[in-house]
Amino acid sequence: MAIIDRFRNIVTVFEVFEVPSSESSSFIKEFSSFIQSDLKGRVGVISYNLHLNEEEGLLLNYAQWKSD
């Protein structure tokens, strides 16, 4: 779960993708696979979260990293 707190040395990154509803399932699968295979094991990674707004065709990714 993401925690927003300026005293914990955590960086939160937000990314917004415009994804047509017809492509949202495949985009989520590919993006999730990328997170699992390439990012999840990296030093400092805390969490990744994906949220889809199908009506507007937007996918929000927010990730948290430990900052030293």
Side-chain angles (χ1 to χ4, degrees):
M1 174 171 57
I3 298 170
I4 308 295
D5 181 342
R6 67 185 178 126
F7 298 107
R8 297 188 65 203
N9 294 329
I10 295 174
V11 174
T12 303
V13 178
F14 293 88
E15 296 174 291
V16 178
F17 302 95
E18 291 185 41
V19 181
S21 59
S22 62
E23 298 175 20
S24 62
S25 289
S26 61
F27 185 91
I28 289 171
K29 281 182 186 177
E30 286 184 44
F31 197 81
S32 297
S33 176
F34 167 72
I35 290 170
Q36 291 296 322
S37 64
D38 294 350
L39 297 180
K40 193 171 183 180
R42 291 193 181 183
V43 174
V45 173
I46 296 172
S47 67
Y48 274 86
N49 302 275
L50 296 172
H51 295 276
L52 176 65
N53 178 332
E54 289 184 282
E55 290 179 11
E56 296 182 26
L58 298 175
L59 181 72
L60 171 66
N61 170 48
Y62 60 94
Q64 291 195 305
W65 299 74
K66 179 74 174 155
S67 174
D68 291 327

